[in-house]
Amino acid sequence: MRLDYYLANATAMSRKDAKQAISRGQVRIDGQPCRQAAHHVATGQHITLRGQPLSLPGERYLMLNKPAGVVSATTDRDHLTVLSLLPADQRSNLHVAGRLDIDTTGLVLLTTDGQWSHRVTSPKVECEKIYRVELAEPMTAEAEQAIETGLQLHNDARQTRPARVVAVAETVIELAITEGRYHQVKRMMAAVGNHVVALHRLQIGAIRLDPALAPGESRPLTGQEIQSVC
Ligand code: URA
């Protein structure tokens, strides 16, 4: 979509005013001013007008507290899906921004906005995800250091990015990672000789799972949450 068209759609501005704001350098794409009204806005780009993040109207954004046994897909032959937990009139056109394993619980974001979800999941953006991890064995100081430095996962070419570990109890940690590789947390714990007993996502970027949501419950995101996610 052209930048002037995006701006006019995301605000109450006319196309003429949108073009003027663009030519004045008031519009930034991923932090860089863009003065070309015809510039094509790509999926996942972050657009601001005078420093304020923009999003297209009509999009929907929800958080869900995923219970265990539910898949993060939109359809599945054998299991309940996160979509099936939503009221029927809210399900259309939603997709998941960052999947969880079937046995992982906690925060799942759902949206109709492909640009927004791309931002949440793109490896380039490095949006932080925080998990509460229950372990089979206590976390050793060496394991913690390896996780915080970056470690080699089985069958992966690159090391993991540095992560943060906060001890909660002897066998419980909070782990913050900025990637979303396949079974990443479970594989990281296996790489340091431990095993995940239970995994729960607490936070994605600035969005914290609302403690008022029981497993299976959802609510729309606030404007502040939508704008500030990553
Ligand atoms: N890491 C995992 O291993 N599983 C998840 O569901 C999420 C992150």
Side-chain angles (χ1 to χ4, degrees):
M1 183 187 297
R2 283 172 55 112
L3 183 57
D4 55 346
Y5 187 81
Y6 182 98
L7 199 58
N9 273 272
T11 65
M13 288 173 134
S14 65
R15 284 284 285 287
K16 186 167 162 243
D17 289 346
K19 280 184 175 156
Q20 204 167 57
I22 294 165
S23 68
R24 286 182 179 158
Q26 295 171 345
V27 179
R28 288 176 180 251
I29 302 180
D30 290 339
Q32 299 300 319
C34 177
R35 293 173 188 269
Q36 292 155 314
H39 184 92
H40 185 81
V41 177
T43 300
Q45 288 190 310
H46 188 52
I47 318 292
T48 56
L49 169 65
R50 295 180 212 108
Q52 292 304 308
L54 299 178
S55 60
L56 293 174
E59 303 288 10
R60 286 175 291 125
Y61 308 83
L62 299 169
M63 73 161 73
L64 171 85
N65 185 358
K66 180 182 139 2
V70 173
V71 290
S72 295
T74 46
T75 57
D76 191 276
R77 274 175 27 161
D78 303 319
H79 300 100
L80 276 179
T81 66
V82 285
L83 269 197
S84 67
L85 299 177
L86 302 176
D89 62 347
Q90 287 185 23
R91 292 179 198 160
S92 62
N93 302 324
L94 287 172
H95 61 269
V96 175
R99 295 176 174 219
L100 291 177
D101 296 337
I102 188 165
D103 55 350
T104 303
T105 57
L107 178 62
V108 170
L109 299 176
L110 295 126
T111 181
T112 54
D113 183 343
Q115 300 205 353
W116 188 83
S117 60
H118 185 263
R119 206 175 152 66
V120 171
T121 56
S122 167
K124 287 189 195 148
V125 177
E126 300 186 18
C127 188
E128 189 175 79
K129 288 101 188 162
I130 303 181
Y131 294 88
R132 190 182 66 231
V133 191
E134 289 181 38
L135 295 160
E137 308 292 335
M139 168 75 47
T140 63
E142 298 78 50
E144 186 172 327
Q145 177 153 31
I147 291 165
E148 292 193 334
T149 309
L151 47 77
Q152 195 63 46
L153 297 183
H154 187 60
N155 280 340
D156 273 11
R158 281 176 304 105
Q159 286 213 328
T160 55
R161 287 203 199 110
R164 280 188 295 115
V165 176
V166 176
V168 176
E170 204 187 9
T171 55
V172 182
I173 59 165
E174 279 190 18
L175 174 70
I177 58 174
T178 56
E179 302 169 287
R181 300 191 205 182
Y182 182 65
H183 294 327
Q184 176 150 354
V185 176
K186 292 173 185 164
R187 290 165 68 219
M188 285 172 78
M189 297 307 131
V192 294
N194 212 322
H195 176 74
V196 173
V197 174
L199 187 57
H200 181 77
R201 187 155 64 194
L202 293 164
Q203 192 163 334
I204 299 176
I207 301 181
R208 189 89 180 163
L209 178 63
D210 188 334
L213 292 179
E217 287 184 349
S218 59
R219 70 153 169 81
L221 296 185
T222 64
Q224 166 75 13
E225 286 169 331
I226 296 164
Q227 304 292 359
S228 66
V229 61
C230 294

